[in-house]
Amino acid sequence: GSGALIHFAGDKSGVPVYSQPVYGDDWSLPKYEGLPYEPQINHLPVFGLKQDDKAFFAVIEEGEGIADIRADVIRGTNKHNIVFAGFNTLPRVIVRDDDAEVTVYQKRIYRGPAQVRYFFLEDEEADYVGMAGRYRDYLADRLNLQRITSDCIPFFMEAVGVITKLRPVMGVPRLVSVPMTRFSQAKQMTSELLQGGISNLRVRYTGWLQGGLTHIYPNRVRIDRVLGSREDLNDLRDYLEAYGVEFFPDVGFLNVYRNTLFDGFSPSRDAARFLNRLVAKKYEYDEVTLRADTAKFDYILSPRRLDRLVDSFWSDYKAHRMKGISLTMMGDQVNSDFREDPDRLIDRQQAVDILEEQLAKLSGEYGLEVLVTGGNAYTLPYTQNIIGMPIRSTKYGLADEEVPFYQIVAHGFFNYAGPPINLAADVRKAMLKTIETGAGIYFKWVYAEPSVLKGTEFDYLYDAHYGQWRELALEFYAEANAALAGVQGERIVGHEKLQKDVYQTTYSNGTAVIVNYGKSSVRVDDIIVTGQGYRVIEGGKYE
C-alpha cells in the first residue's frame, strides 16, 4: 500500500512472516479462493531496515517482476530482525484431481538478471522519510523527473459513461447499454466545475467504448452510441482543450471483459495460460464463501498480444485527435503467460518489460499524456498522472503502522490522488488523508439517477451521483487548495506521528500541515487542532 512499518518490539509469535510479491499477484497463477480483505499492492520494489541512527534502504533494480519482499522479527530460531528480496525463478502450482495432487512448474527457469542496490543512511536520514527521499532522488536522477510548476492542486474528475444491464429484448434477457454520463453531460459537469472555481482540472472518461465499463475487445475504437455521436465526443474534446482541461479517455488492455463474435479476440489464440495450461481467467469471488465464481470472469490477455492490440487501437484512436489516454490496469497488474512451449512462454519479468515498452510507445512515439491507476514503478518514466494511489496499507499482521511512503516519493514530481473520495467509507477521513499526503482530489461520478444501478454489478456506484456531490466537491477543493497550493512543486521532507491520530507533514519550503483524525481537539505546542481538522503552519505563522 502507501507504506508500512514493522517495529522490532512486541509479541508477534503467532503472526506469519510477511511475504508479498512486488506488483501484486500474478493473475495467471490460478486462484480459487479470495481473501476476506482487499490486499494493497506493493507498487514500489523497495524495502529498508532501521536501528537506532543507522539504516539501509534497498531498490530491486532488475528482476523485480519475479521478486517477493519478505520480512520477519526475532523469534524462535530466527535471531535477527530481517527484510530482504526473494526471487521466484520457477513458479509452481499444485493441481488437484480427485485424491491426487500434482505439482506443475513453469516450463523454463528464469535466467535473466536479479539486482538489488543498497543505500546506507545515518542520523536524521535513517528513517522512512529519509529512505523515501533517497528513492525520490534516485528516480529523479535516473528518469530526469521534472518538478511540477502548477500553483494549484489537481482535481481528477472521472465520468462513468455506460454500464450494462440485463433487460428483456423481445422477451429474451440481454445485456444492454445504459448511459450514465453522456458526452454532453460530461461537458456540462466540466463547465459547472470550472465556473465553481476548480483549477487544474483533469477529466477521465471511463465506459465510453462499446460495452461501457466492461467494454469489448479494444482492437478498434468503437464508441458506445448511447452516449452520443462521434461529433459529440469531438465537441467534448474541443471544449476541454479550449479551457486547458486535460482529457483522458480510458481503455483496458490487459483483461478482456467479454468474448463476442467478430470482435477480433480468440481465447485460444490471444488469452494467457494458467500454469495448469488452461486458458487464464480472472475470477470474481463470492463475498461469503470466498470461492471463485467460475461463471464470472475476465480473460487475461497474453502479454505477447499486447503490442499488436495497442497498435490496432491506436490506428483508430489517432483519428480522434486525443492528446491523452487513461490506462486501466497497466499500472497495477502484471500477468505471465505459462505456455507449454518454452519459446512462447512469457515469464513475469518479460511481462513487465512488455508493459514498459507499450507505455514508452504510447507516451513517446504516439505522443500521448498518460494517466495510470495504482502506479507500479515501471510506469513512472511515462506518466505524471496517477490516480488510485494507495493512501493506506493492508495492515498485515506484522505491520504496526502505516505511513505515506509512496506520497513522500511522488510529491513535487507527479500529480496523484488516492481512491475516489465519494466512494470512501468515511468521506471526512478520506479528505483529511488527502490533506496529510499532499494529494490531489479525485471524484468518480455518474450524471444519471443512480436508481438504474439497482440489480447490476455496478451498484457500488450508487453513491456516485454528480448532483449529490458537486457542492461538497467545490467546497473541499477550495479548502484543500488554500492549504496545499503553495507546496505543489515542493518535496515532502518530514512526516511524523505527533500523538495518537495526529500527524504532521513538512515540505521543503518550510510549510507544515498538522492533521487530527480524532474527534476531539488536541493541543500541539501552543496551537489547537480541532477534531477531524487540520492546521497549516507557514512562515512561522499558524493559518
mmCIF file with all atom_site columns, all heavy atoms in Angstrom, residues 162 164 177 207-218 220-225 227 257-258 260:
data_model
loop_
_atom_site.group_PDB
_atom_site.id
_atom_site.type_symbol
_atom_site.label_atom_id
_atom_site.label_alt_id
_atom_site.label_comp_id
_atom_site.label_asym_id
_atom_site.label_entity_id
_atom_site.label_seq_id
_atom_site.pdbx_PDB_ins_code
_atom_site.Cartn_x
_atom_site.Cartn_y
_atom_site.Cartn_z
_atom_site.occupancy
_atom_site.B_iso_or_equiv
_atom_site.pdbx_formal_charge
_atom_site.auth_seq_id
_atom_site.auth_comp_id
_atom_site.auth_asym_id
_atom_site.auth_atom_id
_atom_site.pdbx_PDB_model_num
ATOM 1   N N   . VAL A 1 162 ? -20.991 4.338   -19.665 1.00 0.00 ? 162 VAL A N   1
ATOM 2   C CA  . VAL A 1 162 ? -22.009 3.315   -19.873 1.00 0.00 ? 162 VAL A CA  1
ATOM 3   C C   . VAL A 1 162 ? -21.815 2.169   -18.895 1.00 0.00 ? 162 VAL A C   1
ATOM 4   O O   . VAL A 1 162 ? -20.680 1.763   -18.601 1.00 0.00 ? 162 VAL A O   1
ATOM 5   C CB  . VAL A 1 162 ? -21.948 2.776   -21.325 1.00 0.00 ? 162 VAL A CB  1
ATOM 6   C CG1 . VAL A 1 162 ? -22.722 1.475   -21.486 1.00 0.00 ? 162 VAL A CG1 1
ATOM 7   C CG2 . VAL A 1 162 ? -22.494 3.814   -22.297 1.00 0.00 ? 162 VAL A CG2 1
ATOM 8   N N   . THR A 1 164 ? -23.736 -1.837  -18.242 1.00 0.00 ? 164 THR A N   1
ATOM 9   C CA  . THR A 1 164 ? -24.601 -2.801  -18.920 1.00 0.00 ? 164 THR A CA  1
ATOM 10  C C   . THR A 1 164 ? -25.565 -3.407  -17.912 1.00 0.00 ? 164 THR A C   1
ATOM 11  O O   . THR A 1 164 ? -25.230 -3.586  -16.733 1.00 0.00 ? 164 THR A O   1
ATOM 12  C CB  . THR A 1 164 ? -23.778 -3.902  -19.588 1.00 0.00 ? 164 THR A CB  1
ATOM 13  O OG1 . THR A 1 164 ? -22.843 -4.453  -18.651 1.00 0.00 ? 164 THR A OG1 1
ATOM 14  C CG2 . THR A 1 164 ? -23.033 -3.361  -20.791 1.00 0.00 ? 164 THR A CG2 1
ATOM 15  N N   . SER A 1 177 ? -26.792 -1.572  -23.173 1.00 0.00 ? 177 SER A N   1
ATOM 16  C CA  . SER A 1 177 ? -26.027 -0.423  -22.688 1.00 0.00 ? 177 SER A CA  1
ATOM 17  C C   . SER A 1 177 ? -26.964 0.601   -22.066 1.00 0.00 ? 177 SER A C   1
ATOM 18  O O   . SER A 1 177 ? -27.983 0.969   -22.659 1.00 0.00 ? 177 SER A O   1
ATOM 19  C CB  . SER A 1 177 ? -25.248 0.214   -23.841 1.00 0.00 ? 177 SER A CB  1
ATOM 20  O OG  . SER A 1 177 ? -24.240 -0.654  -24.316 1.00 0.00 ? 177 SER A OG  1
ATOM 21  N N   . GLY A 1 207 ? -15.809 3.920   -19.589 1.00 0.00 ? 207 GLY A N   1
ATOM 22  C CA  . GLY A 1 207 ? -17.052 3.366   -20.105 1.00 0.00 ? 207 GLY A CA  1
ATOM 23  C C   . GLY A 1 207 ? -17.573 4.054   -21.341 1.00 0.00 ? 207 GLY A C   1
ATOM 24  O O   . GLY A 1 207 ? -18.783 4.061   -21.595 1.00 0.00 ? 207 GLY A O   1
ATOM 25  N N   . TRP A 1 208 ? -16.697 4.626   -22.160 1.00 0.00 ? 208 TRP A N   1
ATOM 26  C CA  . TRP A 1 208 ? -17.129 5.305   -23.390 1.00 0.00 ? 208 TRP A CA  1
ATOM 27  C C   . TRP A 1 208 ? -17.049 4.389   -24.602 1.00 0.00 ? 208 TRP A C   1
ATOM 28  O O   . TRP A 1 208 ? -17.661 4.659   -25.637 1.00 0.00 ? 208 TRP A O   1
ATOM 29  C CB  . TRP A 1 208 ? -16.293 6.555   -23.628 1.00 0.00 ? 208 TRP A CB  1
ATOM 30  C CG  . TRP A 1 208 ? -14.839 6.270   -23.889 1.00 0.00 ? 208 TRP A CG  1
ATOM 31  C CD1 . TRP A 1 208 ? -13.903 5.879   -22.986 1.00 0.00 ? 208 TRP A CD1 1
ATOM 32  C CD2 . TRP A 1 208 ? -14.170 6.336   -25.146 1.00 0.00 ? 208 TRP A CD2 1
ATOM 33  N NE1 . TRP A 1 208 ? -12.676 5.695   -23.588 1.00 0.00 ? 208 TRP A NE1 1
ATOM 34  C CE2 . TRP A 1 208 ? -12.818 5.978   -24.918 1.00 0.00 ? 208 TRP A CE2 1
ATOM 35  C CE3 . TRP A 1 208 ? -14.571 6.676   -26.438 1.00 0.00 ? 208 TRP A CE3 1
ATOM 36  C CZ2 . TRP A 1 208 ? -11.868 5.944   -25.938 1.00 0.00 ? 208 TRP A CZ2 1
ATOM 37  C CZ3 . TRP A 1 208 ? -13.627 6.648   -27.467 1.00 0.00 ? 208 TRP A CZ3 1
ATOM 38  C CH2 . TRP A 1 208 ? -12.287 6.287   -27.204 1.00 0.00 ? 208 TRP A CH2 1
ATOM 39  N N   . LEU A 1 209 ? -16.302 3.295   -24.477 1.00 0.00 ? 209 LEU A N   1
ATOM 40  C CA  . LEU A 1 209 ? -16.209 2.327   -25.569 1.00 0.00 ? 209 LEU A CA  1
ATOM 41  C C   . LEU A 1 209 ? -17.402 1.376   -25.521 1.00 0.00 ? 209 LEU A C   1
ATOM 42  O O   . LEU A 1 209 ? -18.068 1.237   -24.498 1.00 0.00 ? 209 LEU A O   1
ATOM 43  C CB  . LEU A 1 209 ? -14.908 1.536   -25.450 1.00 0.00 ? 209 LEU A CB  1
ATOM 44  C CG  . LEU A 1 209 ? -13.614 2.339   -25.639 1.00 0.00 ? 209 LEU A CG  1
ATOM 45  C CD1 . LEU A 1 209 ? -12.403 1.490   -25.292 1.00 0.00 ? 209 LEU A CD1 1
ATOM 46  C CD2 . LEU A 1 209 ? -13.500 2.862   -27.076 1.00 0.00 ? 209 LEU A CD2 1
ATOM 47  N N   . GLN A 1 210 ? -17.670 0.733   -26.643 1.00 0.00 ? 210 GLN A N   1
ATOM 48  C CA  . GLN A 1 210 ? -18.825 -0.161  -26.733 1.00 0.00 ? 210 GLN A CA  1
ATOM 49  C C   . GLN A 1 210 ? -18.758 -1.235  -25.655 1.00 0.00 ? 210 GLN A C   1
ATOM 50  O O   . GLN A 1 210 ? -17.777 -1.930  -25.508 1.00 0.00 ? 210 GLN A O   1
ATOM 51  C CB  . GLN A 1 210 ? -18.870 -0.819  -28.120 1.00 0.00 ? 210 GLN A CB  1
ATOM 52  C CG  . GLN A 1 210 ? -20.119 -1.643  -28.366 1.00 0.00 ? 210 GLN A CG  1
ATOM 53  C CD  . GLN A 1 210 ? -20.161 -2.209  -29.775 1.00 0.00 ? 210 GLN A CD  1
ATOM 54  O OE1 . GLN A 1 210 ? -19.513 -1.708  -30.677 1.00 0.00 ? 210 GLN A OE1 1
ATOM 55  N NE2 . GLN A 1 210 ? -20.944 -3.264  -29.960 1.00 0.00 ? 210 GLN A NE2 1
ATOM 56  N N   . GLY A 1 211 ? -19.849 -1.342  -24.893 1.00 0.00 ? 211 GLY A N   1
ATOM 57  C CA  . GLY A 1 211 ? -19.885 -2.250  -23.755 1.00 0.00 ? 211 GLY A CA  1
ATOM 58  C C   . GLY A 1 211 ? -19.637 -1.559  -22.439 1.00 0.00 ? 211 GLY A C   1
ATOM 59  O O   . GLY A 1 211 ? -19.767 -2.161  -21.380 1.00 0.00 ? 211 GLY A O   1
ATOM 60  N N   . GLY A 1 212 ? -19.250 -0.263  -22.492 1.00 0.00 ? 212 GLY A N   1
ATOM 61  C CA  . GLY A 1 212 ? -19.109 0.531   -21.280 1.00 0.00 ? 212 GLY A CA  1
ATOM 62  C C   . GLY A 1 212 ? -17.947 0.117   -20.401 1.00 0.00 ? 212 GLY A C   1
ATOM 63  O O   . GLY A 1 212 ? -16.841 -0.170  -20.887 1.00 0.00 ? 212 GLY A O   1
ATOM 64  N N   . LEU A 1 213 ? -18.184 0.078   -19.095 1.00 0.00 ? 213 LEU A N   1
ATOM 65  C CA  . LEU A 1 213 ? -17.113 -0.253  -18.155 1.00 0.00 ? 213 LEU A CA  1
ATOM 66  C C   . LEU A 1 213 ? -16.535 -1.639  -18.413 1.00 0.00 ? 213 LEU A C   1
ATOM 67  O O   . LEU A 1 213 ? -15.369 -1.899  -18.098 1.00 0.00 ? 213 LEU A O   1
ATOM 68  C CB  . LEU A 1 213 ? -17.633 -0.172  -16.712 1.00 0.00 ? 213 LEU A CB  1
ATOM 69  C CG  . LEU A 1 213 ? -17.949 1.234   -16.191 1.00 0.00 ? 213 LEU A CG  1
ATOM 70  C CD1 . LEU A 1 213 ? -18.491 1.160   -14.775 1.00 0.00 ? 213 LEU A CD1 1
ATOM 71  C CD2 . LEU A 1 213 ? -16.710 2.119   -16.238 1.00 0.00 ? 213 LEU A CD2 1
ATOM 72  N N   . THR A 1 214 ? -17.342 -2.535  -18.965 1.00 0.00 ? 214 THR A N   1
ATOM 73  C CA  . THR A 1 214 ? -16.843 -3.861  -19.362 1.00 0.00 ? 214 THR A CA  1
ATOM 74  C C   . THR A 1 214 ? -16.855 -3.928  -20.893 1.00 0.00 ? 214 THR A C   1
ATOM 75  O O   . THR A 1 214 ? -17.577 -4.720  -21.489 1.00 0.00 ? 214 THR A O   1
ATOM 76  C CB  . THR A 1 214 ? -17.703 -4.975  -18.747 1.00 0.00 ? 214 THR A CB  1
ATOM 77  O OG1 . THR A 1 214 ? -19.078 -4.739  -19.064 1.00 0.00 ? 214 THR A OG1 1
ATOM 78  C CG2 . THR A 1 214 ? -17.548 -5.012  -17.231 1.00 0.00 ? 214 THR A CG2 1
ATOM 79  N N   . HIS A 1 215 ? -16.055 -3.062  -21.492 1.00 0.00 ? 215 HIS A N   1
ATOM 80  C CA  . HIS A 1 215 ? -16.094 -2.902  -22.953 1.00 0.00 ? 215 HIS A CA  1
ATOM 81  C C   . HIS A 1 215 ? -15.550 -4.124  -23.683 1.00 0.00 ? 215 HIS A C   1
ATOM 82  O O   . HIS A 1 215 ? -14.801 -4.932  -23.114 1.00 0.00 ? 215 HIS A O   1
ATOM 83  C CB  . HIS A 1 215 ? -15.344 -1.632  -23.380 1.00 0.00 ? 215 HIS A CB  1
ATOM 84  C CG  . HIS A 1 215 ? -13.880 -1.625  -23.020 1.00 0.00 ? 215 HIS A CG  1
ATOM 85  N ND1 . HIS A 1 215 ? -12.951 -2.433  -23.615 1.00 0.00 ? 215 HIS A ND1 1
ATOM 86  C CD2 . HIS A 1 215 ? -13.189 -0.869  -22.124 1.00 0.00 ? 215 HIS A CD2 1
ATOM 87  C CE1 . HIS A 1 215 ? -11.758 -2.177  -23.122 1.00 0.00 ? 215 HIS A CE1 1
ATOM 88  N NE2 . HIS A 1 215 ? -11.872 -1.249  -22.203 1.00 0.00 ? 215 HIS A NE2 1
ATOM 89  N N   . ILE A 1 216 ? -15.912 -4.219  -24.948 1.00 0.00 ? 216 ILE A N   1
ATOM 90  C CA  . ILE A 1 216 ? -15.461 -5.342  -25.754 1.00 0.00 ? 216 ILE A CA  1
ATOM 91  C C   . ILE A 1 216 ? -13.995 -5.150  -26.129 1.00 0.00 ? 216 ILE A C   1
ATOM 92  O O   . ILE A 1 216 ? -13.398 -4.109  -25.878 1.00 0.00 ? 216 ILE A O   1
ATOM 93  C CB  . ILE A 1 216 ? -16.338 -5.526  -27.013 1.00 0.00 ? 216 ILE A CB  1
ATOM 94  C CG1 . ILE A 1 216 ? -16.204 -4.326  -27.955 1.00 0.00 ? 216 ILE A CG1 1
ATOM 95  C CG2 . ILE A 1 216 ? -17.790 -5.749  -26.625 1.00 0.00 ? 216 ILE A CG2 1
ATOM 96  C CD1 . ILE A 1 216 ? -16.957 -4.519  -29.267 1.00 0.00 ? 216 ILE A CD1 1
ATOM 97  N N   . TYR A 1 217 ? -13.430 -6.162  -26.726 1.00 0.00 ? 217 TYR A N   1
ATOM 98  C CA  . TYR A 1 217 ? -12.002 -6.197  -27.080 1.00 0.00 ? 217 TYR A CA  1
ATOM 99  C C   . TYR A 1 217 ? -11.612 -4.927  -27.837 1.00 0.00 ? 217 TYR A C   1
ATOM 100 O O   . TYR A 1 217 ? -12.161 -4.639  -28.916 1.00 0.00 ? 217 TYR A O   1
ATOM 101 C CB  . TYR A 1 217 ? -11.753 -7.429  -27.935 1.00 0.00 ? 217 TYR A CB  1
ATOM 102 C CG  . TYR A 1 217 ? -10.304 -7.766  -28.176 1.00 0.00 ? 217 TYR A CG  1
ATOM 103 C CD1 . TYR A 1 217 ? -9.430  -7.979  -27.121 1.00 0.00 ? 217 TYR A CD1 1
ATOM 104 C CD2 . TYR A 1 217 ? -9.823  -7.916  -29.481 1.00 0.00 ? 217 TYR A CD2 1
ATOM 105 C CE1 . TYR A 1 217 ? -8.110  -8.317  -27.350 1.00 0.00 ? 217 TYR A CE1 1
ATOM 106 C CE2 . TYR A 1 217 ? -8.504  -8.261  -29.720 1.00 0.00 ? 217 TYR A CE2 1
ATOM 107 C CZ  . TYR A 1 217 ? -7.649  -8.464  -28.648 1.00 0.00 ? 217 TYR A CZ  1
ATOM 108 O OH  . TYR A 1 217 ? -6.340  -8.808  -28.883 1.00 0.00 ? 217 TYR A OH  1
ATOM 109 N N   . PRO A 1 218 ? -10.661 -4.146  -27.313 1.00 0.00 ? 218 PRO A N   1
ATOM 110 C CA  . PRO A 1 218 ? -10.385 -2.824  -27.882 1.00 0.00 ? 218 PRO A CA  1
ATOM 111 C C   . PRO A 1 218 ? -9.354  -2.833  -29.012 1.00 0.00 ? 218 PRO A C   1
ATOM 112 O O   . PRO A 1 218 ? -8.376  -2.082  -28.987 1.00 0.00 ? 218 PRO A O   1
ATOM 113 C CB  . PRO A 1 218 ? -9.874  -2.044  -26.665 1.00 0.00 ? 218 PRO A CB  1
ATOM 114 C CG  . PRO A 1 218 ? -9.147  -3.064  -25.857 1.00 0.00 ? 218 PRO A CG  1
ATOM 115 C CD  . PRO A 1 218 ? -9.919  -4.349  -26.037 1.00 0.00 ? 218 PRO A CD  1
ATOM 116 N N   . ARG A 1 220 ? -10.185 -1.879  -31.864 1.00 0.00 ? 220 ARG A N   1
ATOM 117 C CA  . ARG A 1 220 ? -10.630 -0.704  -32.590 1.00 0.00 ? 220 ARG A CA  1
ATOM 118 C C   . ARG A 1 220 ? -11.285 0.250   -31.604 1.00 0.00 ? 220 ARG A C   1
ATOM 119 O O   . ARG A 1 220 ? -11.575 -0.120  -30.475 1.00 0.00 ? 220 ARG A O   1
ATOM 120 C CB  . ARG A 1 220 ? -11.648 -1.078  -33.683 1.00 0.00 ? 220 ARG A CB  1
ATOM 121 C CG  . ARG A 1 220 ? -11.106 -1.894  -34.831 1.00 0.00 ? 220 ARG A CG  1
ATOM 122 C CD  . ARG A 1 220 ? -12.260 -2.382  -35.707 1.00 0.00 ? 220 ARG A CD  1
ATOM 123 N NE  . ARG A 1 220 ? -13.172 -1.295  -36.039 1.00 0.00 ? 220 ARG A NE  1
ATOM 124 C CZ  . ARG A 1 220 ? -14.440 -1.472  -36.410 1.00 0.00 ? 220 ARG A CZ  1
ATOM 125 N NH1 . ARG A 1 220 ? -14.964 -2.683  -36.465 1.00 0.00 ? 220 ARG A NH1 1
ATOM 126 N NH2 . ARG A 1 220 ? -15.203 -0.437  -36.697 1.00 0.00 ? 220 ARG A NH2 1
ATOM 127 N N   . VAL A 1 221 ? -11.523 1.482   -32.048 1.00 0.00 ? 221 VAL A N   1
ATOM 128 C CA  . VAL A 1 221 ? -12.268 2.435   -31.232 1.00 0.00 ? 221 VAL A CA  1
ATOM 129 C C   . VAL A 1 221 ? -13.730 2.354   -31.652 1.00 0.00 ? 221 VAL A C   1
ATOM 130 O O   . VAL A 1 221 ? -14.118 2.850   -32.712 1.00 0.00 ? 221 VAL A O   1
ATOM 131 C CB  . VAL A 1 221 ? -11.738 3.869   -31.401 1.00 0.00 ? 221 VAL A CB  1
ATOM 132 C CG1 . VAL A 1 221 ? -12.613 4.850   -30.618 1.00 0.00 ? 221 VAL A CG1 1
ATOM 133 C CG2 . VAL A 1 221 ? -10.293 3.965   -30.927 1.00 0.00 ? 221 VAL A CG2 1
ATOM 134 N N   . ARG A 1 222 ? -14.521 1.692   -30.825 1.00 0.00 ? 222 ARG A N   1
ATOM 135 C CA  . ARG A 1 222 ? -15.958 1.583   -31.078 1.00 0.00 ? 222 ARG A CA  1
ATOM 136 C C   . ARG A 1 222 ? -16.678 2.379   -29.990 1.00 0.00 ? 222 ARG A C   1
ATOM 137 O O   . ARG A 1 222 ? -16.794 1.932   -28.844 1.00 0.00 ? 222 ARG A O   1
ATOM 138 C CB  . ARG A 1 222 ? -16.409 0.122   -31.050 1.00 0.00 ? 222 ARG A CB  1
ATOM 139 C CG  . ARG A 1 222 ? -15.684 -0.787  -32.040 1.00 0.00 ? 222 ARG A CG  1
ATOM 140 C CD  . ARG A 1 222 ? -16.160 -2.227  -31.830 1.00 0.00 ? 222 ARG A CD  1
ATOM 141 N NE  . ARG A 1 222 ? -15.514 -3.181  -32.710 1.00 0.00 ? 222 ARG A NE  1
ATOM 142 C CZ  . ARG A 1 222 ? -14.392 -3.841  -32.420 1.00 0.00 ? 222 ARG A CZ  1
ATOM 143 N NH1 . ARG A 1 222 ? -13.780 -3.623  -31.266 1.00 0.00 ? 222 ARG A NH1 1
ATOM 144 N NH2 . ARG A 1 222 ? -13.879 -4.710  -33.273 1.00 0.00 ? 222 ARG A NH2 1
ATOM 145 N N   . ILE A 1 223 ? -17.161 3.548   -30.311 1.00 0.00 ? 223 ILE A N   1
ATOM 146 C CA  . ILE A 1 223 ? -17.862 4.387   -29.348 1.00 0.00 ? 223 ILE A CA  1
ATOM 147 C C   . ILE A 1 223 ? -19.223 3.776   -29.048 1.00 0.00 ? 223 ILE A C   1
ATOM 148 O O   . ILE A 1 223 ? -19.927 3.327   -29.960 1.00 0.00 ? 223 ILE A O   1
ATOM 149 C CB  . ILE A 1 223 ? -18.039 5.811   -29.902 1.00 0.00 ? 223 ILE A CB  1
ATOM 150 C CG1 . ILE A 1 223 ? -16.676 6.460   -30.156 1.00 0.00 ? 223 ILE A CG1 1
ATOM 151 C CG2 . ILE A 1 223 ? -18.861 6.666   -28.950 1.00 0.00 ? 223 ILE A CG2 1
ATOM 152 C CD1 . ILE A 1 223 ? -16.769 7.771   -30.901 1.00 0.00 ? 223 ILE A CD1 1
ATOM 153 N N   . ASP A 1 224 ? -19.594 3.757   -27.770 1.00 0.00 ? 224 ASP A N   1
ATOM 154 C CA  . ASP A 1 224 ? -20.934 3.297   -27.437 1.00 0.00 ? 224 ASP A CA  1
ATOM 155 C C   . ASP A 1 224 ? -21.917 4.417   -27.773 1.00 0.00 ? 224 ASP A C   1
ATOM 156 O O   . ASP A 1 224 ? -21.915 5.473   -27.140 1.00 0.00 ? 224 ASP A O   1
ATOM 157 C CB  . ASP A 1 224 ? -21.039 2.910   -25.956 1.00 0.00 ? 224 ASP A CB  1
ATOM 158 C CG  . ASP A 1 224 ? -22.172 1.941   -25.705 1.00 0.00 ? 224 ASP A CG  1
ATOM 159 O OD1 . ASP A 1 224 ? -23.292 2.238   -26.156 1.00 0.00 ? 224 ASP A OD1 1
ATOM 160 O OD2 . ASP A 1 224 ? -21.943 0.876   -25.095 1.00 0.00 ? 224 ASP A OD2 1
ATOM 161 N N   . ARG A 1 225 ? -22.743 4.203   -28.771 1.00 0.00 ? 225 ARG A N   1
ATOM 162 C CA  . ARG A 1 225 ? -23.565 5.257   -29.355 1.00 0.00 ? 225 ARG A CA  1
ATOM 163 C C   . ARG A 1 225 ? -24.645 5.782   -28.424 1.00 0.00 ? 225 ARG A C   1
ATOM 164 O O   . ARG A 1 225 ? -25.242 6.829   -28.704 1.00 0.00 ? 225 ARG A O   1
ATOM 165 C CB  . ARG A 1 225 ? -24.196 4.742   -30.651 1.00 0.00 ? 225 ARG A CB  1
ATOM 166 C CG  . ARG A 1 225 ? -23.174 4.421   -31.753 1.00 0.00 ? 225 ARG A CG  1
ATOM 167 C CD  . ARG A 1 225 ? -22.447 5.661   -32.205 1.00 0.00 ? 225 ARG A CD  1
ATOM 168 N NE  . ARG A 1 225 ? -21.457 5.373   -33.262 1.00 0.00 ? 225 ARG A NE  1
ATOM 169 C CZ  . ARG A 1 225 ? -20.745 6.301   -33.885 1.00 0.00 ? 225 ARG A CZ  1
ATOM 170 N NH1 . ARG A 1 225 ? -20.907 7.573   -33.546 1.00 0.00 ? 225 ARG A NH1 1
ATOM 171 N NH2 . ARG A 1 225 ? -19.874 5.961   -34.813 1.00 0.00 ? 225 ARG A NH2 1
ATOM 172 N N   . LEU A 1 227 ? -24.150 7.134   -25.799 1.00 0.00 ? 227 LEU A N   1
ATOM 173 C CA  . LEU A 1 227 ? -23.582 8.334   -25.186 1.00 0.00 ? 227 LEU A CA  1
ATOM 174 C C   . LEU A 1 227 ? -23.662 9.541   -26.095 1.00 0.00 ? 227 LEU A C   1
ATOM 175 O O   . LEU A 1 227 ? -23.532 10.685  -25.639 1.00 0.00 ? 227 LEU A O   1
ATOM 176 C CB  . LEU A 1 227 ? -22.117 8.092   -24.807 1.00 0.00 ? 227 LEU A CB  1
ATOM 177 C CG  . LEU A 1 227 ? -21.852 7.008   -23.769 1.00 0.00 ? 227 LEU A CG  1
ATOM 178 C CD1 . LEU A 1 227 ? -20.355 6.823   -23.568 1.00 0.00 ? 227 LEU A CD1 1
ATOM 179 C CD2 . LEU A 1 227 ? -22.524 7.347   -22.445 1.00 0.00 ? 227 LEU A CD2 1
ATOM 180 N N   . TYR A 1 257 ? -13.071 -8.284  -21.045 1.00 0.00 ? 257 TYR A N   1
ATOM 181 C CA  . TYR A 1 257 ? -14.258 -8.433  -20.217 1.00 0.00 ? 257 TYR A CA  1
ATOM 182 C C   . TYR A 1 257 ? -15.290 -9.387  -20.797 1.00 0.00 ? 257 TYR A C   1
ATOM 183 O O   . TYR A 1 257 ? -16.070 -9.985  -20.072 1.00 0.00 ? 257 TYR A O   1
ATOM 184 C CB  . TYR A 1 257 ? -14.923 -7.067  -20.003 1.00 0.00 ? 257 TYR A CB  1
ATOM 185 C CG  . TYR A 1 257 ? -14.025 -6.052  -19.361 1.00 0.00 ? 257 TYR A CG  1
ATOM 186 C CD1 . TYR A 1 257 ? -13.564 -4.947  -20.075 1.00 0.00 ? 257 TYR A CD1 1
ATOM 187 C CD2 . TYR A 1 257 ? -13.625 -6.183  -18.034 1.00 0.00 ? 257 TYR A CD2 1
ATOM 188 C CE1 . TYR A 1 257 ? -12.743 -3.998  -19.479 1.00 0.00 ? 257 TYR A CE1 1
ATOM 189 C CE2 . TYR A 1 257 ? -12.812 -5.239  -17.429 1.00 0.00 ? 257 TYR A CE2 1
ATOM 190 C CZ  . TYR A 1 257 ? -12.370 -4.148  -18.162 1.00 0.00 ? 257 TYR A CZ  1
ATOM 191 O OH  . TYR A 1 257 ? -11.550 -3.213  -17.578 1.00 0.00 ? 257 TYR A OH  1
ATOM 192 N N   . ARG A 1 258 ? -15.312 -9.497  -22.120 1.00 0.00 ? 258 ARG A N   1
ATOM 193 C CA  . ARG A 1 258 ? -16.298 -10.362 -22.742 1.00 0.00 ? 258 ARG A CA  1
ATOM 194 C C   . ARG A 1 258 ? -15.765 -10.830 -24.094 1.00 0.00 ? 258 ARG A C   1
ATOM 195 O O   . ARG A 1 258 ? -14.901 -10.195 -24.690 1.00 0.00 ? 258 ARG A O   1
ATOM 196 C CB  . ARG A 1 258 ? -17.629 -9.625  -22.919 1.00 0.00 ? 258 ARG A CB  1
ATOM 197 C CG  . ARG A 1 258 ? -17.522 -8.405  -23.814 1.00 0.00 ? 258 ARG A CG  1
ATOM 198 C CD  . ARG A 1 258 ? -18.839 -7.678  -23.916 1.00 0.00 ? 258 ARG A CD  1
ATOM 199 N NE  . ARG A 1 258 ? -19.148 -6.980  -22.669 1.00 0.00 ? 258 ARG A NE  1
ATOM 200 C CZ  . ARG A 1 258 ? -20.299 -6.374  -22.454 1.00 0.00 ? 258 ARG A CZ  1
ATOM 201 N NH1 . ARG A 1 258 ? -21.243 -6.414  -23.360 1.00 0.00 ? 258 ARG A NH1 1
ATOM 202 N NH2 . ARG A 1 258 ? -20.508 -5.740  -21.315 1.00 0.00 ? 258 ARG A NH2 1
ATOM 203 N N   . THR A 1 260 ? -17.160 -11.669 -27.663 1.00 0.00 ? 260 THR A N   1
ATOM 204 C CA  . THR A 1 260 ? -18.292 -11.620 -28.573 1.00 0.00 ? 260 THR A CA  1
ATOM 205 C C   . THR A 1 260 ? -17.839 -12.016 -29.974 1.00 0.00 ? 260 THR A C   1
ATOM 206 O O   . THR A 1 260 ? -16.652 -11.947 -30.307 1.00 0.00 ? 260 THR A O   1
ATOM 207 C CB  . THR A 1 260 ? -18.904 -10.209 -28.618 1.00 0.00 ? 260 THR A CB  1
ATOM 208 O OG1 . THR A 1 260 ? -17.909 -9.289  -29.074 1.00 0.00 ? 260 THR A OG1 1
ATOM 209 C CG2 . THR A 1 260 ? -19.378 -9.786  -27.240 1.00 0.00 ? 260 THR A CG2 1
#
